């Protein structure tokens, strides 16, 4: 854990030092000695600091959401992006744009509501109870539903070209140009989700023993699941609202966390806290430098790196039953 | 994609039935009227002397037809809109063309319903579509032009030939040239020139538009020093989205900010939410000009050139 936290601090510092522009590590470090370099000052404080902070929050939100989803669906492949959550958020945003909102004034709550509805739809399609025996079914239902929402989104964009222009950001997530205001706007919902996750950690761990055992310990499996789904929607909706859909982070982070923490969901959740930001920030730093002076959208990079991980996970070993 | 090809297939079946009648009619007309031969991208095309019912399937063709004094009976929507571009509206005298699709998705049935005797299409018209359309009426497809500020002139001349109104098109082109030299002199007198960038604002940052567009070409011709910071690859209409960290590369004396929204102000408002944007010198000096992307990044032709020159004049010589 100490190593992970050290790594996170290191990556955050690198995130402040490196960018697509001309202000490199030397000029940033020069700021420590004298604050005369206004260009470097602006880029570090106004551009790189917000996106680093947002990257940390997005990483935590996606990592924790992934761990929750995998726990309640008992499916190591469950991922917010695969479960219609991101597709639901993007769909809701597209709908709002077509109905006349502009990307600048869009309410964060629209994306969160879309995420919640998307998630509920997939879970009900996959039959909420008893999916534990068939991890593939949930992924299939999620893929099918995401595809359906994706085509509906495309349909609306064909109908309304203006929205098509503004939606591009919502189809591929990115941390560039996001403002701290956006982050502040989602903090309340993140706080609610955080409190709920803390309360639910013990019942979730009980649920891992099986429904009967959990009931026997005085918990309500269905209630636990619904609260967890609510948390996932809040977390992913918030992340999607500020950064757009970012694929595979919710899959990879809990997977790595389990490698450190073992099967106990309570320990896994703790480990997601540093690992999520580590993954997101590393990907974001790479996305800044590979095509400078432009930037690659973060969502493209995580999809490029995440897809092989998913395939490797499925192929390499028998999936652990959660 | 599957859906659209399925739809095209179905439409082909429906249309080919209707075509039997259509080709009979146009065949008769062509043999009666005196025919001329045009050199188009798909070979020589015979056109009757006085086309009455013209359908344009490309914004540049609509522009040229109106400049030549012909109001088409059918036209496609502008890119990013659900009607023809706004600048075109002023040139309709009462009658308006029916909308027969969008540039990339032409509704062949709607074209057929207009019973055209001439179809003016874009250089990018795919051959299968050309085959289908040329069975409805003679279809004129210009040779593909390189991306260059005055590519529109050759296209407009071909459309003018097809309409048998070459003189009118030449007049329209020389009117543009005349206007350019007038405006260039006025800007020089007012000492209002300097460097200029045309950009489109996206949520993550700006896309710098190529120096080879008609709009940037006109900016250069009236005496501005148009810059793309070396960001636009040759043959591409615009750059990738520039990192906010490199925003100073679009700084200069003038920044023309385009959006596909009808309201250019919306792009400016969106851009102004970014601290990286508001600290640019060009913003501090209030020399950012919101412009309509329908006109500045997708339109083409002599009327578009005049409308763009209007915008330039209003911005630089208030």
């Amino acid at each position: 854990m100490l190593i992970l936290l050290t790594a996170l601090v290191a990556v955050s510092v690198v995130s402040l030092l490196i960018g697509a522009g001309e202000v490199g590590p030397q000029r940033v470090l020069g700021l420590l000695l004298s604050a005369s370099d206004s260009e470097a000052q602006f880029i570090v404080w106004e551009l790189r600091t917000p996106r680093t902070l947002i990257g940390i929050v997005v990483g935590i939100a996606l990592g924790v959401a992934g761990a929750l989803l995998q726990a309640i669906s008992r499916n190591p492949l469950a991922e917010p992006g695969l479960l219609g959550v991101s597709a639901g958020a993007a769909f809701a945003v597209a709908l709002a744009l077509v109905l006349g909102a502009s990307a600048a004034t869009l309410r964060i709550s629209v994306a969160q509501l879309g995420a919640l509805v998307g998630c509920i739809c997939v879970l009900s399609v996959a039959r909420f109870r008893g999916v534990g025996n068939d991890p593939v079914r949930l992924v299939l239902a999620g893929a099918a539903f995401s595809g359906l929402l994706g085509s509906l989104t495309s349909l609306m964009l064909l109908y309304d070209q203006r929205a098509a222009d503004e939606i591009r950001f919502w189809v591929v997530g990115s941390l560039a140009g996001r403002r701290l205001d956006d982050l502040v706007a989602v903090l309340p919902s993140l706080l609610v989700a955080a409190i709920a996750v803390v309360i639910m950690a013990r019942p979730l761990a009980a649920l891992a023993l099986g429904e009967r055992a959990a009931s026997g310990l005085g918990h309500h499996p269905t209630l636990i699941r619904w609260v967890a789904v609510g948390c996932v929607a809040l977390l992913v909706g918030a992340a999607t609202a500020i950064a757009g859909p970012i694929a595979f982070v919710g899959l990879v982070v809990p997977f790595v966390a389990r490698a450190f923490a073992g099967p106990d969901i309570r320990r896994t959740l703790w480990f997601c806290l540093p690992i999520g930001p580590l993954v997101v920030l590393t990907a974001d730093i790479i996305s800044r430098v590979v095509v400078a002076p432009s930037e690659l959208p973060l969502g493209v990079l995580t999809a490029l790196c995440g897809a092989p991980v998913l395939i490797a996970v499925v192929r390499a070993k028998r999936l652990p039953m959660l | 994609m599957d859906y659209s090809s399925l739809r095209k297939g179905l439409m082909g079946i429906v249309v080919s039935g209707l075509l039997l009648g259509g080709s009979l009619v146009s065949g008769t007309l062509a043999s009666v009227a005196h025919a001329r031969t045009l050199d188009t991208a798909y070979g020589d095309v015979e056109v009757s002397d006085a086309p009455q019912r013209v359908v344009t399937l490309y914004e540049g063709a609509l522009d040229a037809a109106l400049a030549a004094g012909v109001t088409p009976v059918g036209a496609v929507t502008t890119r990013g809109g659900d009607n023809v571009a706004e600048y075109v509206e002023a040139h309709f005298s009462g009658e308006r063309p029916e909308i027969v699709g969008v540039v990339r998705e032409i509704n062949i049935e709607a074209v057929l319903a207009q019973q055209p005797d001439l179809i003016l299409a874009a250089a990018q018209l795919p051959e299968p579509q050309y085959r289908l359309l040329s069975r409805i009426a003679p279809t004129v497809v210009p040779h593909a032009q390189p991306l260059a500020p005055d590519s529109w002139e050759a296209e407009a001349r071909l459309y003018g030939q097809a309409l048998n109104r070459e003189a009118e098109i030449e007049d329209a082109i020389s009117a543009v040239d005349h206007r350019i030299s007038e405006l260039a002199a006025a800007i020089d007198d007012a000492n209002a020139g300097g460097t200029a960038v045309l950009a489109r604002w996206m949520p993550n940052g700006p896309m710098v538009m190529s120096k080879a567009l008609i709009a940037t070409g006109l900016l250069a011709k009236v005496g501005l020093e148009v810059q793309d910071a070396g960001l636009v690859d040759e043959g591409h209409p615009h750059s990738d989205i520039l990192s906010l960290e490199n925003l100073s590369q679009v700084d200069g004396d003038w920044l023309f900010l385009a959006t596909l929204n009808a309201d250019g102000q919306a792009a400016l408002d969106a851009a102004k939410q970014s601290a990286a944007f508001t600290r640019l010198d060009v913003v501090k000096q209030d020399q950012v000009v919101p412009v309509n992307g329908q006109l500045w990044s997708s339109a083409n032709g002599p009327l578009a050139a005049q409308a763009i020159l209007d915008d330039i004049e209003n911005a630089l010589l208030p």
Side-chain angles (χ1 to χ4, degrees), chain B residues 176-189 313 317:
Chain B
V176 171
D177 289 339
H178 184 63
R179 177 89 187 279
I180 288 171
S181 39
E182 264 184 9
L183 198 51
I187 288 171
D188 195 35
D189 288 346
E313 182 169 0
L317 305 169

Side-chain angles (χ1 to χ4, degrees), chain A residues 19-22 38-39 42-43 46-48 104 161-162 165-166 168-169 174 176-179 293-295, chain B residues 80-81 200 202-204 207 231 240-246 248-249 259-261 270 273-276 279:
Chain A
E22 288 166 2
S38 72
E39 175 82 9
F42 174 81
I43 283 180
E46 298 290 329
L47 295 181
R48 291 184 194 164
Q161 296 282 323
R162 174 190 74 93
D165 212 36
E166 293 188 4
R168 244 174 277 185
F169 159 74
S174 159
R178 300 299 100 202
R179 293 168 302 138
S294 296
E295 293 184 13
Chain B
R200 212 157 90 199
M202 309 301 285
N204 302 346
M207 292 194 305
L231 292 168
D240 291 331
I241 295 173
L242 188 63
S243 168
L244 288 176
E245 295 195 6
N246 291 313
S248 57
Q249 300 195 13
T259 166
L260 288 183
N261 296 10
Q273 297 202 345
S274 161
R279 71 191 284 273

Side-chain angles (χ1 to χ4, degrees), chain A residues 39 42-43 47, chain B residues 197 199 201 205-206 208 242-257 268 271-272 274-288:
Chain A
E39 175 82 9
F42 174 81
I43 283 180
L47 295 181
Chain B
V197 173
W201 195 267
V208 179
L242 188 63
S243 168
L244 288 176
E245 295 195 6
N246 291 313
L247 209 58
S248 57
Q249 300 195 13
V250 302
D251 211 348
D253 295 316
W254 295 95
L255 176 59
F256 292 84
L257 203 57
L268 188 56
K272 278 191 171 159
S274 161
F277 178 75
T278 44
R279 71 191 284 273
L280 293 178
D281 282 337
V282 68
V283 180
K284 287 184 191 146
Q285 287 163 16
D286 205 17
Q287 306 240 72
V288 180

